[in-house]
Amino acid sequence: MQTELSTNLGVEHAVFGFTPFPAVAAAISRAGGFGVLGAVRYTAPDDLRRDLDWLDAHVDDRPYGLDVVMPARKVEGVTEADVEAMIPQAHRRYVADTLAKYGVPELAEGEASGWRITGWMEQVARDQLDVAFDYPIALLANALGSPPADVVARAHDRDVLVAALAGSARHARKHAEAGIDVVVAQGYEAGGHTGEIATMVLTPEVVDAVDPLPVLAAGGIGSGRQVAAALALGAQGVWLGSLWLTTTEADMHSRAVTEKLLAAGSGDTVRSRALTGKPARQLRTEWTDAWDDPNGPGTLPMPLQGLLVADALSRIQKYEVEPLLGTPVGQIVGRMNSERGVQAVFDDLTRGFEKAVDRINRIAGRSTRS
């Protein structure tokens, strides 16, 4: 599964694996793909440095990258406390009432939320980059589109490729104009933040819009034949995220979440603003239903919603309150029905890819196999 982009990066397979888990990222690179570690949860630079130390020591000298969440425009002088003050009390009461309805215990006294959406803040992302550029990352991806121009220049000065996610051809053209090297065309089916256009439609639109820049297809891809389809649409590789959540290397910190993922079908996800304030595909739960209830107060815009629900999500996850327990994941979750190692996933992808290519060759009358 090689393309010009994968060859230039020195990887065997044009499979780019996004994951929040260093062990998964390392395993992806060792298996011949390109592991990309998600940085959004690292609010402390030393924590990111610790995990990059580990990752760099376990990729067997294979290339890897980092994914940040960084706004293109800087907002001066706004602190997290300033944003917290903007959250209406009615929304805080709604969170408290919903948690009380399901009997979710409080966190212990002095225990802070384990995760807050702060990666969107300018300084947090820049602190992450100050750490990351001390390591031999080969690619820097930004989930919020094109990073600021000085960040692009800083990456290029270090021969680091810059990738940006796009949900439309219009977004992709803006990325190209900003000097981005790789565009990730992320379709409606994907986990996390997505646009309104499905991968099958979006990928060729983006390929045509930014030609000759390489494009990675993302969203709803989890088999070798889907990889083949993405390349047939003009992509130079695939960007896979959800597929790794049920690998044995993933550290989900919750067996209950893993079991929900394994049991879910492709129709068991929903695009909801409940997590961050922007539409993000995730498992449908009674928590997402509560925020989509027309009788509720509705969600707040990003980043207010993420800050509003941070402590609540920590409580739900810590105490594994099953009706409310969820995670971002794409529609490919319907194929994620067993726990396998990353290498086994790659073996399945390559076998499926070969079969799909051979089938097309037979249809075209070009097969060399018996």
Side-chain angles (χ1 to χ4, degrees):
M1 297 187 290
Q2 283 194 333
T3 65
E4 182 180 355
L5 177 61
S6 64
T7 300
N8 289 342
L9 285 169
V11 296
E12 183 180 358
H13 303 301
V15 174
F16 294 71
F18 164 79
T19 174
F21 308 118
V24 176
I28 290 169
S29 290
R30 290 198 307 270
F34 189 96
V36 182
L37 179 66
V40 70
R41 67 191 180 99
Y42 293 99
T43 56
D46 286 346
D47 290 342
L48 178 59
R49 188 177 300 279
R50 176 203 63 215
D51 281 0
L52 284 176
D53 280 340
W54 187 95
L55 177 60
D56 195 57
H58 289 82
V59 294
D60 292 350
D61 295 323
R62 306 290 182 89
Y64 62 92
L66 190 76
D67 178 277
V68 297
V69 178
M70 191 173 196
R73 293 189 178 92
K74 185 174 182 177
V75 180
E76 298 282 359
V78 178
T79 67
E80 185 176 334
D82 294 332
V83 179
E84 286 268 14
M86 301 177 190
I87 297 174
Q89 286 303 312
H91 282 75
R92 295 190 185 277
R93 285 194 298 272
Y94 188 70
V95 170
D97 291 346
T98 303
L99 295 177
K101 175 181 177 182
Y102 291 92
V104 183
E106 296 275 358
L107 295 175
E109 185 176 352
E111 183 178 1
S113 166
W115 179 77
R116 298 174 72 78
I117 302 216
T118 53
W120 59 271
M121 297 181 73
E122 177 81 8
Q123 193 54 53
V124 172
R126 288 188 179 275
D127 288 346
Q128 293 169 347
L129 294 177
D130 288 341
V131 171
F133 285 136
D134 286 339
Y135 294 83
I137 61 172
L139 180 140
L140 173 67
N142 187 30
L144 289 183
S146 305
D150 69 295
V151 172
V152 176
R154 190 178 176 191
H156 287 168
D157 286 344
R158 291 163 172 77
D159 295 323
V160 176
L161 296 181
V162 180
L165 275 66
S168 70
R170 178 175 61 86
H171 292 155
R173 281 190 288 268
K174 288 184 177 180
H175 298 342
E177 292 167 1
I180 297 303
D181 305 293
V182 181
V183 176
V184 181
Q186 180 171 271
Y188 172 86
E189 304 95 322
H193 296 118
T194 73
E196 302 283 349
I197 306 172
T199 305
M200 190 75 175
V201 175
L202 178 65
T203 301
E205 287 186 352
V206 171
V207 168
D208 291 345
V210 302
D211 183 63
L213 286 185
V215 173
L216 301 177
I221 301 171
S223 69
R225 54 187 162 177
Q226 290 170 313
V227 176
L231 300 190
L233 293 172
Q236 286 203 32
V238 293
W239 178 274
L240 309 183
S242 298
L243 191 63
W244 316 109
L245 292 175
T246 53
T247 57
T248 54
E249 293 88 348
D251 184 9
M252 292 297 292
H253 300 293
S254 171
R255 186 63 199 175
V257 170
T258 299
E259 293 292 348
K260 291 186 84 167
L261 289 170
L262 294 171
S266 56
D268 292 328
T269 68
V270 62
R271 282 173 79 246
S272 170
R273 297 177 183 270
L275 183 63
T276 67
K278 286 189 175 184
R281 187 171 296 285
Q282 54 204 282
L283 284 177
R284 182 177 180 179
T285 66
E286 293 186 33
W287 177 257
T288 61
D289 286 349
W291 285 103
D292 292 335
D293 187 341
N295 294 319
T299 56
L300 297 169
M302 190 182 201
L304 300 181
Q305 182 70 16
L307 293 172
L308 168 67
V309 303
D311 288 344
L313 294 179
S314 289
R315 291 165 60 184
I316 292 167
Q317 291 163 5
K318 177 178 180 177
Y319 299 109
E320 295 194 333
V321 183
E322 196 277 339
L324 305 178
L325 193 61
T327 186
V329 70
Q331 291 180 331
I332 199 63
V333 70
R335 293 185 62 90
M336 296 158 47
N337 49 24
S338 65
E339 292 181 87
R340 301 177 294 166
V342 167
Q343 183 62 61
V345 173
F346 265 89
D347 292 343
D348 184 59
L349 289 173
T350 53
R351 283 193 298 267
F353 179 82
E354 290 170 356
K355 288 180 181 179
V357 171
D358 187 55
R359 180 174 182 272
I360 296 301
N361 282 335
R362 288 202 310 272
I363 291 171
R366 292 195 297 268
S367 178
T368 58
R369 298 187 183 187
S370 58

